[in-house]
Amino acid sequence: MKIHFLFGTETGSAEMLCEDIRDDLGDGFTCEITSMGEVDPATLDKDTFYMFVTSTYGNGDLPMVAQPFFDKMVDGTPDLSHVNFAIFGLGDMVFSETFAFGSKILMEQLLERGAKMVGERGIHDASSPDMPEDIAVPWAHDILGQLRAQAA
């Protein structure tokens, strides 16, 4: 299975989390990790499973690096009905009114464009004692288990 991790980050935490998940998955997958800022949503293909990992920036926005990807979805309105994805958000409950909104608004836009989401949106709270990988790695394994069940 080909998995493409697309991240949005200001500090590098989402990119590092993608690396942690990839490393834990083992050799049974072909994995690629790319900044969302380097990808046009219109180029997402049906033969790849996409895992989006993004933090939240400012007042509930996507990080600057993810904004071009998001803008192309809003402005270009690509048909993403062939795309399967999962999404994991990084946030901090200190900002409870906009907690993990970066991943929320991205998820909503992907769904609005017809993309099919597998599983629930994963979320890590930076105010919790848990490390992001302690939440994200089991979440990713659960998502892949759901994918396998769908394929069977």
Side-chain angles (χ1 to χ4, degrees):
M1 174 186 292
K2 183 176 177 186
I3 300 172
H4 194 161
F5 294 91
L6 296 172
F7 66 87
T9 189
E10 289 291 329
T11 63
S13 56
E15 181 178 12
M16 287 186 292
L17 187 55
C18 290
E19 292 168 357
D20 290 339
I21 296 169
R22 176 204 58 204
D23 294 348
D24 191 79
L25 291 179
D27 296 331
F29 302 93
T30 302
C31 297
E32 184 177 354
I33 299 173
T34 309
S35 167
M36 272 188 261
E38 298 174 21
V39 176
D40 183 332
T43 65
L44 301 181
D45 68 78
K46 67 179 172 89
D47 298 323
T48 301
F49 184 72
Y50 295 92
M51 281 197 180
F52 291 88
V53 178
T54 186
S55 59
T56 300
Y57 178 71
N59 293 318
D61 300 315
L62 283 164
M64 296 288 198
V65 71
Q67 200 60 51
F69 181 90
F70 185 81
D71 291 345
K72 286 176 185 171
M73 276 199 300
V74 172
D75 298 337
T77 61
D79 175 12
L80 300 179
S81 59
H82 59 283
V83 172
N84 292 302
F85 78 98
I87 190 161
F88 193 89
L90 299 167
D92 191 329
M93 275 303 290
V94 168
F95 307 100
S96 60
E97 290 183 18
T98 58
F99 174 64
F101 265 37
S103 61
K104 181 180 183 289
I105 62 173
L106 179 61
M107 175 189 72
E108 290 169 349
Q109 196 59 227
L110 288 161
L111 292 170
E112 190 172 312
R113 300 288 167 250
K116 294 164 206 71
M117 187 165 141
V118 176
E120 298 291 321
R121 176 173 62 124
I123 299 174
H124 175 260
D125 176 9
S127 295
S128 78
D130 299 313
M131 297 299 292
E133 60 271 18
D134 294 339
I135 305 298
V137 168
W139 168 86
H141 282 280
D142 181 59
I143 294 296
L144 294 176
Q146 290 181 51
L147 267 178
R148 285 188 198 100
Q150 288 177 4

